[in-house]
Amino acid sequence: MTLEAQSQTAGTWPVAFRPYQTNQHQSALSVYRANSEIFGQGEPSGALYRVEFGCVRIGRVTADGRRQLCGFSFAGEVFGWESDEEHRFFAEAVGETGVRVLRPGRDAEASQKLLSLVLTSMRRIQEHLLALGGTKVDERFADFLCEMAERQGDDCLVRLPMPRSDIGDYLGVSFETVSRILRRLKERGIIRIPDTHSVQILDYESLLEISRRKLS
Amino acid sequence: MTLEAQSQTAGTWPVAFRPYQTNQHQSALSVYRANSEIFGQGEPSGALYRVEFGCVRIGRVTADGRRQLCGFSFAGEVFGWESDEEHRFFAEAVGETGVRVLRPGRDAEASQKLLSLVLTSMRRIQEHLLALGGTKVDERFADFLCEMAERQGDDCLVRLPMPRSDIGDYLGVSFETVSRILRRLKERGIIRIPDTHSVQILDYESLLEISRRKLS
DNA sequence: CGGAGGTTTGAAGACATTCAAGCCTAGTGG
DNA sequence: CCACTAGGCTTGAATGTCTTCAAACCTCCG
């Protein structure tokens, strides 16, 4: 599928996967095929990236070979922050994904914008951390699903473009357990699973209840 | 104990708990007694805080009353970031703790500094997230201990001013389990426990090995 | 049609939580 | 100065949950 073809079919995509409209200082669009690396652990950092369409997973591989994902980025979102000279995480395309390199200015206004972007990013990580702190795995998954619903702007149908193993590595849970959680939620009548990569939320309230998203 | 007395005894404190030397734009020093609230969930945000001495725990209480700590701040460290108008987390003094309010400027230089501070903070949260993603609780604790050793600048003796329940809530683990982990590590000859709030690291390498801190 | 990769499901075992009891220590009041 | 108390810490036993290993399924693609 060429880049042109992508653009033409854009209108039929769910919100979160639609090519992102930009207005200025465009650098070239890079299209990565499924499961290809955007940057790797240990590579020099510096640039920021914005997802134009598709989905990116960000994570780390530990010394013993296990993987921990610390986030997904969808169309319109920015990733690649590092406080270090080297990337401490890898970034890979989940499915076919378009990415643009950003070159932020160094003036006060640009710094402000950057700061705001980082804070948003940090907020997401903090919420993820909260979820991982929960003892029950259903909590973690419920939280994940709510987050995805929010980000995709649709309380009913959520698209999960990533494989179960990605969700597992994101939630710190085996992929078999992800599968079992889905079954449990389905049997409780909280979700429906039209196909492997879609979840229909039937009872958003219960989902919120299961997650730890509510404050005291 | 008055503020003056604090300063006089400063020299005998471990590095991380020593009053922090500052140079400019001092606002008044607030001293909080043990377990008192610095700010609460839902309160209006805006200010930044720097710890002068002592230790602050930052976390959230969920709707069902459970608690998740997402970080500790020690002398010299800054906390209170929010992407929102309201504090989404609470901050409490662990022991007696001195805190100063910061009023960052809005110029480019200040923004740069701020950005760098936020990135440091984010990095810490990311590492914490990595730790929570691990399945084994010994991993989580080993990671915590390594982090504390790094931040206190001492590979041998680590001070843990917070109670076991704080460590548990930080690691997403029951406080009884924290106690058991400590025993296991002691029995394996990796640590010694001179007193309840100190841990002596006998085998830092093993600790690193147990944690997920090493990259692939 | 056949194969490969991802997904679901089952059974056994490992691990953490929970509940309950005892311990230790610092702080209090006699 | 010492006994006493309260809170935090440790330890044990039972229960429940998640992981691991294994096998079967399903679906997309060659």
Side-chain angles (χ1 to χ4, degrees):
Chain A
M1 194 186 238
T2 68
L3 181 54
E4 258 87 54
Q6 294 273 3
S7 299
Q8 281 162 18
T9 55
T12 64
W13 296 1
V15 177
F17 306 98
R18 205 174 294 164
Y20 181 76
Q21 294 305 319
T22 57
N23 40 15
Q24 55 178 350
H25 302 314
Q26 297 283 5
S27 61
L29 176 67
S30 308
V31 177
Y32 293 86
R33 65 175 195 288
N35 300 314
S36 58
E37 179 179 281
I38 298 170
F39 56 77
Q41 290 173 196
E43 290 183 6
S45 68
L48 288 181
Y49 305 81
R50 187 180 56 219
V51 181
E52 301 295 321
F53 62 88
C55 172
V56 174
R57 65 175 156 253
I58 294 156
R60 182 182 292 181
V61 178
T62 49
D64 58 353
R66 283 172 306 166
R67 211 178 55 145
Q68 174 70 41
L69 296 187
C70 53
F72 298 100
S73 294
F74 298 100
E77 297 176 353
V78 177
F79 66 95
W81 315 107
E82 296 288 349
S83 58
D84 212 337
E85 299 294 313
E86 284 189 358
H87 280 298
R88 288 152 44 246
F89 300 94
F90 67 78
E92 294 170 350
V94 171
E96 189 165 81
T97 299
V99 167
R100 228 181 265 279
V101 173
L102 297 184
R103 308 236 168 261
R106 294 197 149 262
D107 55 303
E109 194 194 357
S111 287
Q112 286 279 345
K113 268 191 191 168
L114 221 55
L115 190 60
S116 149
L117 273 174
V118 177
L119 284 177
T120 303
S121 185
M122 187 157 99
R123 174 175 185 153
R124 195 159 281 148
I125 296 170
Q126 282 176 324
E127 297 298 329
H128 183 196
L129 190 148
L130 265 285
L132 287 188
T135 3
K136 301 272 180 302
V137 293
D138 295 38
E139 276 175 20
R140 301 190 192 185
F141 185 83
D143 188 279
F144 169 66
L145 206 52
C146 288
E147 188 203 332
M148 286 299 140
E150 276 179 24
R151 284 163 77 175
Q152 293 180 20
D154 187 342
D155 276 10
C156 282
L157 191 67
V158 177
R159 292 241 63 206
L160 302 177
M162 67 293 285
R164 300 284 187 262
S165 54
D166 278 5
I167 300 176
D169 290 344
Y170 180 77
L171 299 176
V173 151
S174 72
F175 68 90
E176 296 99 323
T177 298
V178 173
S179 189
R180 282 186 257 266
I181 297 169
L182 279 161
R183 180 154 62 105
R184 282 199 287 267
L185 292 179
K186 190 175 67 179
E187 284 169 356
R188 290 172 62 179
I190 295 173
I191 60 170
R192 242 171 46 82
I193 307 172
D195 69 287
T196 306
H197 292 291
S198 300
V199 173
Q200 185 183 350
I201 299 178
L202 302 174
D203 186 352
Y204 195 83
E205 268 309 307
S206 294
L207 215 54
L208 264 180
E209 202 66 42
I210 295 170
S211 82
R212 310 175 82 195
R213 304 213 121 211
K214 286 189 180 174
L215 278 66
S216 77
Chain B
M1 196 185 239
T2 67
L3 180 54
E4 258 89 52
Q6 294 274 3
S7 297
Q8 281 160 19
T9 56
T12 66
W13 297 1
V15 176
F17 307 98
R18 206 173 293 164
Y20 181 76
Q21 295 306 320
T22 58
N23 41 14
Q24 55 177 352
H25 303 314
Q26 298 282 4
S27 62
L29 176 68
S30 309
V31 177
Y32 294 86
R33 65 176 196 286
N35 300 313
S36 60
E37 179 178 281
I38 298 170
F39 57 77
Q41 292 174 195
E43 290 183 7
S45 68
L48 288 181
Y49 305 81
R50 187 181 54 220
V51 181
E52 300 296 321
F53 62 88
C55 172
V56 174
R57 66 174 157 254
I58 294 157
R60 184 181 291 181
V61 178
T62 50
D64 58 354
R66 283 173 306 165
R67 208 177 59 144
Q68 172 71 41
L69 295 187
C70 53
F72 298 101
S73 294
F74 298 101
E77 297 175 351
V78 176
F79 66 95
W81 314 107
E82 296 288 348
S83 58
D84 211 338
E85 298 294 310
E86 284 189 356
H87 280 298
R88 289 153 42 246
F89 299 95
F90 67 78
E92 294 171 350
V94 171
E96 189 165 79
T97 299
V99 167
R100 230 181 262 278
V101 173
L102 297 184
R103 310 234 168 261
R106 293 198 151 261
D107 55 304
E109 195 195 356
S111 288
Q112 285 280 344
K113 266 192 191 167
L114 222 56
L115 190 60
S116 148
L117 273 174
V118 176
L119 283 177
T120 302
S121 186
M122 186 155 100
R123 173 176 186 151
R124 195 159 280 148
I125 296 170
Q126 283 177 324
E127 296 299 328
H128 184 196
L129 190 149
L130 264 286
L132 288 188
T135 357
K136 304 272 182 301
V137 293
D138 295 42
E139 276 175 20
R140 301 191 192 186
F141 185 83
D143 188 278
F144 169 67
L145 205 53
C146 290
E147 189 204 331
M148 286 299 140
E150 277 180 24
R151 283 164 77 175
Q152 294 181 19
D154 188 341
D155 276 11
C156 282
L157 191 66
V158 178
R159 292 240 63 205
L160 302 176
M162 66 293 287
R164 300 284 187 263
S165 54
D166 278 5
I167 300 175
D169 290 344
Y170 180 76
L171 299 176
V173 150
S174 72
F175 68 89
E176 295 100 324
T177 298
V178 173
S179 190
R180 281 186 257 266
I181 297 169
L182 279 161
R183 181 155 59 107
R184 281 198 288 265
L185 292 179
K186 190 175 68 181
E187 285 169 355
R188 289 172 61 179
I190 295 173
I191 61 170
R192 242 172 48 82
I193 308 173
D195 70 288
T196 308
H197 292 290
S198 301
V199 173
Q200 185 182 351
I201 300 178
L202 302 175
D203 186 352
Y204 195 83
E205 269 309 307
S206 295
L207 216 53
L208 264 179
E209 202 65 43
I210 295 170
S211 81
R212 309 175 81 194
R213 305 213 121 211
K214 287 190 180 174
L215 280 66
S216 76

